[in-house]
Amino acid sequence: MQIKTSVLTTTLVLLLGANAKALVQALISQQGDTVHLEFEGQNQWDYDLQKIDQKGKTIVQLTLPKMDEKSSQQIQNFSHALIQKVDVNPDGPDGKVILSFQMNGQGIEPFDYLTEKPSRLIIDFYKGQGSSEKPEKKKTAVAPKTEKVTPPPQALAEKSKKKVDRAPASPDVLVINEQGRQVSLNDALAGKKSPTGSIFDGGDPNFERFSIKDFEMREEAVIASRHKVYLDFPMLRMQSPYFELLQTRKPAYEIAPQDTEENKQARLLLTLFENKRYHVFLKTVDWFFQKFPESQYDEMMKFMLADSLFGIWTESHKAEDFDLAMLRYRQALEKYPESPLLERTMMLMGFATLDRGDYLGTLRLFQSHLQKRPQSPNKDIARFAIADSFLKINRYDEATQVYDEIEKDAFQEKDKIQAAYLKGDVAHQKKDFRKAIEDYQTALSKYPQASPEFPNAIYNQAAAYFGLKEYKKSLDLYGEFIKKFPTHSEAGFAMTRIGELQDILGASPEKVLGTYLETYFRYGDSPSAVVARLRM
């Protein structure tokens, strides 16, 4: 056994050593008005990009892992109107290499991003917007020829600007906060509305900039799009609010003061718990159980013990902390099966397990709970969690069956509506796009008043039409989504897809680029806008 361990350790060291010595390979080229650099050879990129002004000269400094000699020579020998010269320092800190690009004029911007498959670091240099200064042309070697691609934003943005002198609209959002009292988990959410809003744009009130008339569409553009690659954007899933709600609405533990040692120690433990001194509480409560094995506060202490462990898990996110908290909850429920904390504890355990991605564990917890308590006040909430778990493990028929049951006999009307709107998600994830569209349209027809609360019915329906290559319908629905849900986390994806659909259907390059630019202006800090920046 010792020999095997030694061999494995040596092999691991050799593998790690080989990975650490892997050299970065680079490729530099001209793409339109842009200088394009691609670096590969690392799975995790540790780099630093800085823009420095030195005596009126702009220098972009890039620090990254060691690079092979061939790549260094290619970068140093590269010539372009944007770059005056490139210095390569192979003796940077921590064995890294430092590339210093001296820009040929002002207003030249670097733009860096990473790709996953394959893992690459990409840097683009382009003339920034609003800069009228032109770099001086170099009289030396000519830049290498590459395939012509769409130029960076400034090239077409200036051209588009002449046609329409207007800024992107700004969203006005109306948010209705949670209100009302809690009777059950469902009632606690009765007054809560999803943040929605609308865009008012005096320059384009009907959003004609997003739409395409039939006579504008070009069949040759649609045919050409078959050779292009379009990413599958994430499906819009309606997030369950119940786990967050359970964490904010904790039990109120109270101990009436008495002049006994047991009461004083119990009140001390309560103070530690309320002040979130969980680790001190755990040490002290063990001593309390030993000294007062038949304490009148035993039930309260056991639930507080489990809550303390759960609080530690919410900070550490360690599996062992979660498992220990769940164990203590189960032990408390086994000893006190009629506890008033039963419902709250079972819901917390179930939704916490769902949040961790343990879908089979979620099914076991909620199905067991409903078997023992078929008249649970949170029956419908538990069934939503069961359906969600079935969907996550691709058991589509079971998920649809549960949603059908909820829509048929749920106690509250809003749960029936929610089940109707979520059925389309099952078909969409199954890639049965026709069925998904049918389910969403049925829900919108039966419960139109609830449509502002379910953006998935519009967004996923648009994505389904895109998957079916019915591009005009997809474009119209994405436009509707942007108008109704401008601040949604998926809005950047929707507007990016609008630009792609405009391109597919044959819109002018100026119109397509205008959509990408508006995506960047609206959602530039959002991950959903990254693809639009790449498209530009």
Side-chain angles (χ1 to χ4, degrees):
M1 182 61 69
Q2 292 179 349
I3 295 176
K4 289 183 179 180
T5 303
S6 176
V7 171
L8 287 172
T9 304
T10 303
T11 303
L12 181 60
V13 170
L14 289 174
L15 287 173
L16 292 174
N19 184 59
K21 294 180 180 179
L23 295 178
V24 172
Q25 296 88 45
L27 178 66
I28 186 168
S29 61
Q30 173 187 348
Q31 294 190 358
D33 296 334
T34 304
V35 175
H36 182 78
L37 289 96
E38 291 189 11
F39 300 93
E40 60 181 17
Q42 301 287 311
N43 290 327
Q44 299 292 330
W45 288 95
D46 179 14
Y47 73 99
D48 181 52
L49 184 67
Q50 296 184 2
K51 187 177 178 182
I52 306 170
D53 290 327
Q54 291 185 355
K55 298 179 180 180
K57 296 181 179 180
T58 301
I59 296 176
V60 175
Q61 195 172 85
L62 174 64
T63 304
L64 73 166
K66 276 289 186 183
M67 190 165 53
D68 63 25
E69 185 64 27
K70 181 179 178 182
S71 299
S72 298
Q73 289 298 324
Q74 183 190 15
I75 292 176
Q76 282 183 301
N77 295 335
F78 180 77
S79 178
H80 191 274
L82 295 179
I83 299 176
Q84 192 172 66
K85 68 174 182 177
V86 183
D87 292 325
V88 179
N89 179 8
D91 301 319
D94 301 324
K96 295 183 177 181
V97 61
I98 302 176
L99 306 179
S100 298
F101 300 87
Q102 183 174 324
M103 300 295 101
N104 192 21
Q106 300 295 320
I108 301 172
E109 301 291 339
F111 175 56
D112 60 298
Y113 54 95
L114 299 173
T115 64
E116 291 187 2
K117 294 180 181 180
S119 176
R120 289 178 181 170
L121 165 65
I122 298 177
I123 312 286
D124 288 333
F125 294 99
Y126 62 93
K127 194 69 176 175
Q129 297 180 13
S131 175
S132 59
E133 181 183 349
K134 295 182 180 180
E136 299 178 1
K137 292 187 178 180
K138 299 176 73 174
K139 298 180 181 179
T140 54
V142 180
K145 295 182 179 180
T146 59
E147 183 182 355
K148 186 176 180 181
V149 299
T150 304
Q154 77 289 347
L156 291 177
E158 293 298 326
K159 188 175 180 181
S160 176
K161 206 176 200 181
K162 296 177 183 177
K163 292 189 176 183
V164 183
D165 187 15
R166 56 185 298 278
S170 60
D172 295 324
V173 183
L174 173 65
V175 180
I176 302 176
N177 293 325
E178 181 182 338
Q179 55 186 330
R181 64 186 183 85
Q182 180 186 17
V183 177
S184 67
L185 288 180
N186 237 333
D187 295 327
L189 292 171
K192 189 171 183 178
K193 303 293 182 183
S194 301
T196 62
S198 61
I199 304 175
F200 174 75
D201 191 336
D204 182 19
N206 296 319
F207 298 93
E208 295 297 328
R209 65 188 183 277
F210 291 151
S211 63
I212 292 182
K213 306 297 183 184
D214 291 341
F215 65 85
E216 294 180 286
M217 295 189 293
R218 296 185 296 111
E219 185 178 355
E220 60 270 23
V222 177
I223 295 173
S225 70
R226 297 171 185 170
H227 303 287
K228 298 180 181 179
V229 176
Y230 299 97
L231 299 176
D232 287 332
F233 291 156
M235 171 183 166
L236 198 164
R237 297 183 183 276
M238 300 300 295
Q239 298 298 322
S240 170
Y242 301 114
F243 182 46
E244 181 181 351
L245 179 68
L246 285 161
Q247 290 179 285
T248 58
R249 298 183 178 239
K250 298 179 180 179
Y253 299 108
E254 295 181 357
I255 299 177
Q258 296 178 9
D259 191 19
T260 65
E261 181 67 17
E262 179 184 354
N263 180 270
K264 292 177 181 178
Q265 296 299 333
R267 282 188 285 128
L268 172 62
L269 284 167
L270 179 58
T271 301
L272 293 173
F273 176 80
E274 290 177 340
N275 291 329
K276 298 184 179 181
R277 301 284 302 278
Y278 296 136
H279 292 284
V280 179
F281 174 88
L282 294 176
K283 292 181 180 179
T284 309
V285 78
D286 285 339
W287 171 85
F288 182 86
F289 286 141
Q290 293 176 7
K291 187 169 184 179
F292 306 103
E294 302 297 330
S295 172
Q296 60 178 317
Y297 308 110
D298 184 72
E299 178 181 351
M300 181 186 300
M301 291 301 161
K302 281 187 164 46
F303 280 101
M304 287 169 59
L305 169 62
D307 284 343
S308 297
L309 291 167
F310 189 83
I312 291 173
W313 169 73
T314 58
E315 296 177 359
S316 70
H317 297 288
K318 293 181 179 179
E320 54 268 27
D321 291 335
F322 180 84
D323 293 340
L324 187 55
M326 295 300 107
L327 173 63
R328 294 302 189 186
Y329 278 129
R330 287 194 296 271
Q331 290 175 343
L333 291 175
E334 288 172 1
K335 187 169 184 179
Y336 300 100
E338 301 302 322
S339 172
L341 293 175
L342 172 65
E343 279 290 329
R344 182 261 177 186
T345 301
M346 287 302 302
M347 293 298 107
L348 180 66
M349 292 173 66
F351 282 103
T353 304
L354 177 64
D355 184 72
R356 289 186 70 237
D358 182 3
Y359 305 122
L360 293 177
T362 304
L363 288 172
R364 285 193 296 269
L365 279 168
F366 281 121
Q367 288 174 338
S368 174
H369 179 61
L370 293 182
Q371 286 176 356
K372 295 177 181 178
R373 295 173 64 89
Q375 302 304 318
S376 167
N378 293 302
K379 175 182 177 180
D380 296 328
I381 302 301
R383 289 197 290 181
F384 275 120
I386 290 172
D388 193 15
S389 298
F390 278 135
L391 180 58
K392 294 293 177 55
I393 59 176
N394 299 330
R395 291 171 62 174
Y396 305 115
D397 293 340
E398 289 94 329
T400 301
Q401 181 180 350
V402 176
Y403 285 137
D404 285 338
E405 292 172 357
I406 297 173
E407 188 179 9
K408 179 181 178 181
D409 60 18
F411 180 73
Q412 297 193 30
E413 181 70 11
K414 72 183 192 66
D415 289 333
K416 297 180 180 180
I417 295 173
Q418 182 177 348
Y421 274 93
L422 291 180
K423 278 194 286 188
D425 289 358
V426 180
H428 191 280
Q429 181 169 315
K430 193 179 178 181
K431 302 295 183 184
D432 188 350
F433 294 137
R434 289 290 179 201
K435 182 66 167 60
I437 293 169
E438 179 186 340
D439 287 340
Y440 289 131
Q441 291 181 348
T442 299
L444 288 166
S445 177
K446 289 176 66 176
Y447 311 106
Q449 75 283 1
S451 61
E453 300 179 29
F454 296 96
N456 62 314
I458 300 176
Y459 182 91
N460 292 339
Q461 198 178 161
Y465 276 122
F466 186 82
L468 293 170
K469 295 182 170 51
E470 297 183 25
Y471 299 125
K472 184 63 168 62
K473 292 180 180 179
S474 179
L475 176 63
D476 292 341
L477 278 169
Y478 276 122
E480 183 181 348
F481 178 83
I482 289 295
K483 294 179 219 176
K484 292 184 175 179
F485 306 98
T487 60
H488 196 280
S489 60
E490 308 297 296
F493 286 129
M495 193 173 284
T496 300
R497 189 67 90 199
I498 287 174
E500 294 174 341
L501 285 162
Q502 290 171 336
D503 184 40
I504 290 172
L505 293 171
S508 66
E510 292 87 353
K511 185 168 187 173
V512 175
L513 185 65
T515 300
Y516 291 145
L517 283 171
E518 186 165 350
T519 306
Y520 173 65
F521 288 140
R522 288 187 187 280
Y523 313 108
D525 295 332
S526 168
S528 63
V530 171
V531 178
R533 297 177 69 180
L534 299 181
R535 291 293 188 194
M536 288 193 302

